[in-house]
Amino acid sequence: MRSSKRNRFYFFLSLILLILVLSLLADYIMPFGPYDQNLSMALRPPDSVHWLGTDRYGRDMLSRTLSGARTTVCTALAVALAASSFGAFIGLICGYHKGKATTLLLRLTDVFLAFPSMVFAIAVAGILGGGTFNAAAAIAAVAWPKYTRLVRNQVLPLHHEYYIEAARMSGFSPLKILLVQILPEIIGPVLITAALDIGTIITEIAGLSFLGLGAAPPAAEWGSMMSGARNLLQTAPWTIFVPGAAIFITVAIFQLFADSLRDLADSKTPR
Amino acid sequence: MNNKFKYLLTALLGAALLVSGCGSDAGKTAKEEGKVFHYGTMAYGPAMQNASTDPHDTYCGWSTIRYGVGETLFKFDNEMNVQPWLAESYEQIDDHTLKIKLRDDITFSNGKQVTGDAVKACLEDLIRRNDRAPHDLKINQITADGQTVTIHSSEKVPALIHYLADPYSAIIDMEAGIKDRIAVGTGPYVAVKVTDQGMELKKNDQYWGQTKPKLDKIVVRSITDGDSLSMAMQSGELDAVQGLPYASLPNFQDTGRYTISSTATSRVYQAAMNFQTPALQDNRVRKAIAMALDKDTFVNVLLNGNGVAATGAFPNTMPYGRGLNGPGYDPEQAKTLLKEAGYTGTNSDGYVTKDGQPLTLRWLTYTSRQELPLLAEYAQSALKDIGIKLDVNATDNYKDFLKRGEYDIYAQAIVTAPTGDPEYYLMSKIYSGQPYNNGNYSNPRTDAMIDELHNTFDAGKRIELARQIQQQVLDDNAVWYASFLKMNIVMKKNVTGFSAHPCDYYEITPELDIQ
């Protein structure tokens, strides 16, 4: 049982590494420039030259999708990293130190958690204005509170463990206790949650761009590519299916990877 | 639940979703309502300020005319020349007086005769309530006598009969008043129910014209999403649609099932150069921009051929749109012009520089006209080829940017001859210091010719002047004209007597029929 779980994990890990390599090396493997218009080649269906067809400006869909992978995947990873570390840090403090300030912080996370996240992200992105960075900031601003909750709930029971007491009596500073004694104990669930979150973040980034609140044309970004090709759905379906499939496949891989990671972690620590 | 069952259920659900997505027109039975015509349009609704048949309210006159409820004293033929409609003839008594003789066989849909007094009451209500009409018509006094109406203007209005063909001048019965957005007009159809989502019309049994209306009922539905409109037409729910996005038109190429009627309108896609921008004060730079953009490719590829490349502000279906010369597409010549203008360097990104500064311009446009973002993205790429960096700002807050002057090129879509007369456009968009002259273009020669146009009654002279003014604008490269919108109406094969008209507001006529 263990080994099949491990195989599954390595399988999806290798797929993720493949996506990362493809997106990082996009500039070198793209057959065409993602922004090079060639109107005489507009709206060509997939063929031997343009493997995934061209869009209405005659730009190569494969090149644009690869170039979009970097925008989307790297942004999603950065958002997941930023939101989880920030949320976890606040969670550590809230779990370890009880006081009016931390209670206030916790109530704040409740407010954030009470909103449907996409609606909140749309509001934030709307206020900040368009752009990939602003969209990422909006999603990060919505994603962090669940880490705070998660970490705080993990930290609370550790509070009166003997080894924490011992560390405290040895004169360790609270920061050192948090980072050296507590963090390694609770990092597992945070990583799994973050991994599970990446898929959601990718759809949210694409969603905001689709709505015109993220990457703006002519940027090669999956959501914005789908939005631009919306009215070609019936006449040139590849222009919308290609970025759509890219989102679907990437999100599925990240989700299955996170699943396998969780399964592996569960089997390591039987309850 | 075992796994097999789960998979089966999922498969069934998926199949159900697929099937429900593919609606069909089979199984629809026409009720005994006689001939019913279902019409879908993108051009109706509160956002367009035309969700009523009261012609005196903002742009609602467009709906009054479009859907056959009302008619005007004069109308435009296919070349946008003015012809009498409810009027029989007119006479320009002097510079300030116009005498109109009405036909004596016309009745409103309630049976009342259209008399001079009725027209006078209607026009007086128009200038009292409409925001544009008083400024256009400049009416001082109206007198009525039997079937004649005499209009005394406060100043010279050479285009007066054109304005009397504007939809706001639709003649309605003021005594009957306007109830629930329903006005009583003289048209072939009578409004029964008018809402924000559309309207229902029935046949006007007392219609005065030679051709009697043939349909018993017309349902007009506002569908403002292009894809929904296209799908409603494909599923057979609608008999005809107006304003489909170009990208959807290939769905209706099957000539055995559909007819497409299209015509060039005077809605032009234009880009005004901002003369406040130092770089654009050099005519060579403006000319280089004009020469770098290929109108034919824009029209043929990005608009799928659903447009007409423009030279000046008016389409060549109109007499004053012919005989103009603008700079043609020639990117090599454009590069030479930039060099002559002092842009001799090139930076690492490939953009031309002058004194080390790259040539970067801000292209302002908006997205509610779907062709404008396409044009912007095309221009960005085409200007990059000659070394100009274009920062596109496609926003629906464009009015704020216009107000603050934060743009170098402003691209917009505008109807240049809504009343078949060139003066309106030239006066508001070209004349020095006018609020809608977004390029801040100012040339005393052009202004003098526009002044002359304003004081000229002779039709031939007006055409010649309008041409000369446009040629001057083109020589100055003040505005780059991309293309004219081709308006299309897609209808089922069995629909007859329906065609697109260049002025965009003649749609439902007595000729319309379903075979």
Side-chain angles (χ1 to χ4, degrees), chain B residues 167-180:
Chain B
Y168 60 53
S169 302
I171 301 302
I172 55 167
D173 182 8
M174 292 316 300
E175 282 174 28
I178 288 137
K179 296 186 189 83
D180 297 329

Side-chain angles (χ1 to χ4, degrees), chain A residues 37 39 57 59 217 231 234-235, chain B residues 234 247 297 374 377 380-381:
Chain A
Q37 296 190 2
L39 291 177
Y57 299 95
R59 298 176 298 203
N231 55 17
Q234 290 195 55
T235 48
Chain B
Q234 283 175 300
T297 307
L374 291 181
E377 216 169 312
Q380 191 173 39
S381 171

Side-chain angles (χ1 to χ4, degrees), chain B residues 194-497:
Chain B
V194 181
T195 66
D196 283 351
Q197 288 78 40
M199 62 171 79
E200 255 180 62
L201 308 151
K202 66 168 194 203
K203 187 193 274 181
N204 174 8
D205 293 317
Q206 321 208 26
Y207 186 58
W208 59 273
Q210 289 262 303
T211 314
K212 302 294 173 198
K214 299 172 180 70
L215 302 164
D216 296 288
K217 184 176 166 186
I218 295 177
V219 181
V220 178
R221 277 174 62 192
S222 158
I223 302 176
T224 47
D225 177 71
D227 296 321
S228 313
L229 190 67
S230 171
M231 280 188 272
M233 186 69 200
Q234 283 175 300
S235 75
E237 270 173 66
L238 302 171
D239 295 300
V241 290
Q242 189 266 13
L244 276 180
Y246 301 144
S248 303
L249 284 178
N251 298 331
F252 303 97
Q253 292 303 327
D254 179 359
T255 48
R257 295 182 62 195
Y258 303 106
T259 312
I260 301 178
S261 166
S262 66
T263 180
T265 66
S266 72
R267 185 180 289 278
V268 74
Y269 294 89
Q270 65 162 50
M273 312 283 167
N274 190 348
F275 280 69
Q276 305 277 348
T277 303
L280 291 180
Q281 283 163 1
D282 188 331
N283 194 10
R284 288 170 297 198
V285 176
R286 299 195 300 271
K287 192 168 181 186
I289 293 171
M291 295 187 102
L293 301 170
D294 183 0
K295 303 169 187 190
D296 292 317
T297 307
F298 172 69
V299 168
N300 292 332
V301 179
L302 290 173
L303 303 187
N304 281 341
N306 291 290
V308 176
T311 308
F314 307 101
N316 63 11
T317 48
M318 297 176 183
Y320 38 85
R322 298 174 200 144
L324 297 168
N325 285 307
Y329 173 60
D330 188 349
E332 289 313 312
Q333 179 66 22
K335 283 181 196 163
T336 314
L337 280 169
L338 285 181
K339 277 212 184 78
E340 284 171 15
Y343 293 90
T344 44
T346 309
N347 72 3
S348 56
D349 294 327
Y351 296 112
V352 295
T353 55
K354 184 181 190 175
D355 309 326
Q357 290 299 312
L359 181 50
T360 303
L361 297 171
R362 296 163 297 175
W363 179 286
L364 178 67
T365 191
Y366 49 93
T367 58
S368 57
R369 280 268 156 197
Q370 52 181 339
E371 299 81 7
L372 286 171
L374 291 181
L375 179 62
E377 216 169 312
Y378 166 66
Q380 191 173 39
S381 171
L383 290 182
K384 190 183 172 188
D385 291 343
I386 63 159
I388 298 178
K389 184 171 195 289
L390 208 58
D391 287 334
V392 171
N393 182 5
T395 168
D396 291 325
N397 289 337
Y398 65 97
K399 282 184 182 147
D400 296 339
F401 290 91
L402 283 178
K403 211 178 285 169
R404 294 200 296 266
E406 292 173 359
Y407 61 97
D408 302 315
I409 300 172
Y410 173 52
Q412 66 169 161
I414 179 179
V415 177
T416 53
T419 57
D421 186 79
E423 186 184 325
Y424 154 81
Y425 171 83
L426 298 172
M427 189 54 108
S428 68
K429 303 293 290 186
I430 302 296
Y431 201 83
S432 301
Q434 287 295 311
Y436 291 109
N437 177 351
N438 307 105
N440 302 297
Y441 168 65
S442 174
N443 181 339
R445 275 192 58 182
T446 318
D447 287 352
M449 286 190 283
I450 297 176
D451 282 332
E452 196 185 340
L453 178 71
H454 183 65
N455 285 308
T456 305
F457 279 90
D458 179 67
K461 190 103 193 291
R462 283 178 77 80
I463 290 171
E464 195 40 51
L465 272 168
R467 270 191 201 140
Q468 284 170 11
I469 296 164
Q470 287 176 85
Q471 192 56 54
Q472 186 65 50
V473 172
L474 289 172
D475 292 345
D476 290 337
N477 290 294
V479 182
W480 177 73
Y481 298 98
S483 71
F484 295 102
L485 173 82
K486 229 183 199 177
M487 193 189 65
N488 59 70
I489 294 177
V490 177
M491 63 200 100
K492 285 185 186 166
K493 198 78 204 166
N494 61 352
V495 174
T496 56

